[in-house]
Amino acid sequence: EMANCPESITRLRERFCTDYYLKLSAGEDPDFTAAQELYDAMAPEVLQVRASAPESRIVLSHAVLHRRFRDFLREKLGENLVIVDLCVSPEVLRARKLKRLEEQASEK
């Protein structure tokens, strides 16, 4: 839950969004260290949750856009990690991104 998220993780998530994801979405060069730092912090937490409930399955809803980060997560979380790549037509993707951008702009 985001309200209970530690401030250090909140800062990493915000940096991920501004320095990596939004730049990537805008066609700019993203700061890959912003993504790496978030994944570095996320992996031990996932392992801790997995260890506390080994019979459970964990679902992370997150777009891991670059192969280097998917490979990193596989290395850290194990081979039983499954990544689902949802393919969407460029038109639908464009419309969704535009809608989100408009919503974000109206919030500011």
Side-chain angles (χ1 to χ4, degrees):
E1 190 172 300
M2 299 298 243
N4 297 327
C5 190
E7 187 175 332
S8 60
I9 300 298
T10 298
R11 282 194 306 272
L12 288 172
R13 188 181 67 250
E14 289 171 353
R15 182 164 134 63
F16 172 88
C17 288
T18 57
D19 295 348
Y20 173 75
Y21 184 75
L22 291 176
K23 285 185 177 186
L24 188 65
S25 296
E28 300 173 15
D29 290 331
D31 181 352
F32 289 104
T33 61
Q36 185 68 51
E37 289 169 359
L38 179 68
Y39 298 137
D40 280 337
M42 181 183 70
E45 296 223 7
V46 171
L47 291 172
Q48 181 180 13
V49 170
R50 184 187 284 168
S52 69
E55 70 286 349
S56 298
R57 293 180 183 225
I58 301 170
V59 175
L60 302 174
S61 175
H62 177 75
V64 184
L65 302 173
H66 286 92
R67 177 177 303 278
R68 68 198 261 183
F69 297 128
R70 292 190 296 272
D71 291 344
F72 170 81
L73 290 172
R74 279 189 195 94
E75 176 186 316
K76 294 293 182 182
L77 302 178
E79 287 301 313
N80 64 351
L81 174 70
V82 175
I83 296 176
V84 178
D85 184 10
L86 302 176
C87 295
V88 182
S89 73
E91 295 79 22
V92 170
L93 185 60
R94 190 175 304 110
R96 288 179 181 171
K97 283 185 173 185
L98 182 58
K99 182 181 178 192
R100 277 194 298 266
L101 182 60
E102 289 171 345
E103 289 170 354
Q104 290 171 354
S106 68
E107 293 173 1
K108 303 224 182 231

